[in-house]
Amino acid sequence: MRGAIITLATAALLIGAAMADPAAARDRSDRVELTTGQLTDQAAARAAKLKADLRLTQDQEKHWSGVQAELVTVWTRQAEHRQAWRNARATQGDSIDLIEQMRKDADDQIERGNQLKKLADASQPLYVVLDDQQKRRFTEALFGWYRDRRSDKDRD
């Protein structure tokens, strides 16, 4: 019985999604475009929240400034990329040059990979001195960023 209910609920969701107006789903003209400064401020606030959540000791705080700088850079660039991606989707409509899009995606992945390497290098000295609970919080903050980024792309 439970399986039947889950199957019916899933079917109802899929049918509802298929019937939704795709043009209305893509219309994001009511979104406010944030400036780079505002995006940076949001990233800095997010990093400050992470620092507070970690409850760093004095010895651990010595390693925080490099991590914070890289986090702000990565999170700001991600937000800028997300905005640019949304704007491109809104303006390009149905005409997509597949080959050009593959090249752009590859360049974007290289850039993100380089950013993550810098963040990993900056984070290593701090990470090795964190206790297990702090490591969990740090990991959740970083993987949450990744999960949020992926889910934003899936929603658009």
Side-chain angles (χ1 to χ4, degrees), residues 9 13 26-27 39 59 102 113 137:
L13 286 172
R26 277 188 258 151
D27 183 20
L39 295 173
D59 289 336
M102 286 191 313
R137 287 183 183 140

Side-chain angles (χ1 to χ4, degrees), residues 93-149:
D94 292 333
S95 62
I96 298 173
D97 180 352
L98 179 63
I99 303 302
E100 185 58 35
Q101 187 62 45
M102 286 191 313
R103 286 186 177 114
K104 183 174 179 350
D105 288 348
D107 290 342
D108 291 343
Q109 289 176 15
I110 290 168
E111 180 184 347
R112 281 192 299 274
N114 289 334
Q115 289 171 353
L116 289 176
K117 282 182 183 179
K118 288 180 185 178
L119 178 58
D121 291 343
S123 299
Q124 186 174 8
L126 173 64
Y127 193 78
V128 297
V129 296
L130 295 177
D131 64 34
D132 289 340
Q133 185 177 22
Q134 290 171 316
K135 285 180 180 180
R136 266 192 310 277
R137 287 183 183 140
F138 189 75
T139 301
E140 288 170 7
L142 293 183
F143 284 112
W145 157 73
Y146 178 77
R147 187 177 52 247
D148 291 346
R149 178 178 62 80

